[in-house]
Amino acid sequence: IEMKKNLILCGGALYLVLTAITFTLATDQKQVEVQKKPKKSENTTSAKDLIAEGSQAFRAQNYDVAITMYKKAVEEDPQSVDGHYNLALTYDKKGMIDESIESYKHLISLKPDHGQAHNNLGTVYEKKDMLSNAIAQYKLAIANDPDLPEAQYNLGRAYFKEGLLAKAAEHLYAGGSLFLKKGDRKWAENSYNLLKNTKSEEFEKALYGQLYPDKVKKE
């Protein structure tokens, strides 16, 4: 009987030991699996942080540093809309027109409905005297964002260059009205001043009334 008790006790102890070994092995295996997962380097800066650094350099007009930061940002996150947009904008500021065009095109491939990108691409095309390309981009900008005053104004100005005065008047009026709604009186007046040269009395009078309502009442 005593021997049987000893065997039972030994068996229980062995079970506890085996259980402990199994738990330890399972824990160690889990830790190995965690360690095998790729770790982000502690020295790696996120795309968001890189964009912030680039924007700080951009505001200081240090465009070379800004370009470097934005390029690193899109390398870190190739889908970063903000990264590509800021890079394209900075290339334009630096006078790197071809690079700016390619960056805007890449951005638009990621986000085709980015109205501001279409507008900005249009302005860059104009710098290369590619007016038909610019007009196409301004149209796309308006199609995706009808309330974008810059695009309306730019399309009106481009039509004015082409001698298409009726079309120019329509978009200059739209741009001026939108600028005014957004509180940008300076650009609303710029739109009006160009609109006067289209000889479109209807649109000119309408925008004048929005700009100078007190004068209209006196008249």
Side-chain angles (χ1 to χ4, degrees), residues 87-103:
L87 180 58
L89 187 65
T90 312
Y91 276 142
D92 182 17
K93 286 286 187 181
K94 190 79 166 57
M96 302 170 69
I97 303 302
D98 290 333
E99 290 84 352
S100 181
I101 288 173
E102 290 308 309
S103 290

Side-chain angles (χ1 to χ4, degrees), residues 140-212:
L140 286 168
I142 292 168
N144 286 289
D145 189 354
D147 293 331
L148 188 63
E150 303 96 298
Q152 295 282 4
Y153 173 83
N154 285 333
L155 183 55
R157 183 177 48 74
Y159 277 141
F160 184 82
K161 284 184 179 181
E162 293 270 88
L164 301 170
L165 300 187
K167 288 184 175 181
E170 179 185 349
H171 291 286
L172 288 169
Y173 168 75
S177 296
L178 288 168
F179 278 126
L180 202 56
K181 285 178 182 177
K182 296 191 175 184
D184 193 338
R185 188 174 184 83
K186 177 185 175 182
W187 275 101
E189 290 178 341
N190 288 342
S191 300
Y192 175 71
N193 290 332
L194 186 53
L195 175 57
K196 288 191 292 185
N197 294 312
T198 66
K199 309 301 180 185
S200 175
E201 293 183 7
E202 180 185 356
F203 284 118
E204 181 185 339
K205 186 177 180 180
L207 188 54
Y208 180 87
Q210 292 179 40
L211 278 165
Y212 312 107

Side-chain angles (χ1 to χ4, degrees), residues 24-148:
T24 302
L25 288 174
T27 304
D28 290 344
Q29 182 63 35
K30 187 177 180 181
Q31 187 63 37
V32 170
E33 287 171 356
V34 171
Q35 289 176 350
K36 282 182 179 179
K37 290 180 182 178
K39 281 188 175 181
K40 193 171 183 177
S41 171
E42 291 180 0
N43 296 322
T44 300
T45 307
S46 71
K48 186 177 179 180
D49 290 336
L50 289 165
I51 290 170
E53 288 183 41
S55 297
Q56 186 176 359
F58 183 91
R59 287 191 293 272
Q61 298 184 1
N62 194 342
Y63 298 130
D64 288 328
V65 172
I67 287 170
T68 299
M69 292 298 104
Y70 293 142
K71 286 175 76 173
K72 286 181 178 180
V74 297
E75 285 173 6
E76 182 71 19
D77 180 8
Q79 303 297 313
S80 172
V81 170
D82 290 341
H84 287 291
Y85 178 84
N86 290 344
L87 180 58
L89 187 65
T90 312
Y91 276 142
D92 182 17
K93 286 286 187 181
K94 190 79 166 57
M96 302 170 69
I97 303 302
D98 290 333
E99 290 84 352
S100 181
I101 288 173
E102 290 308 309
S103 290
Y104 277 126
K105 283 182 176 179
H106 187 78
L107 165 59
I108 289 167
S109 73
L110 295 174
K111 189 171 176 56
D113 63 348
H114 198 305
Q116 191 68 59
H118 284 292
N119 174 73
N120 291 7
L121 179 55
T123 63
V124 179
Y125 274 135
E126 276 202 73
K127 291 178 181 180
K128 294 199 72 167
D129 295 321
M130 301 170 69
L131 195 56
S132 60
N133 293 59
I135 287 172
Q137 290 302 317
Y138 296 143
K139 285 181 177 179
L140 286 168
I142 292 168
N144 286 289
D145 189 354
D147 293 331
L148 188 63

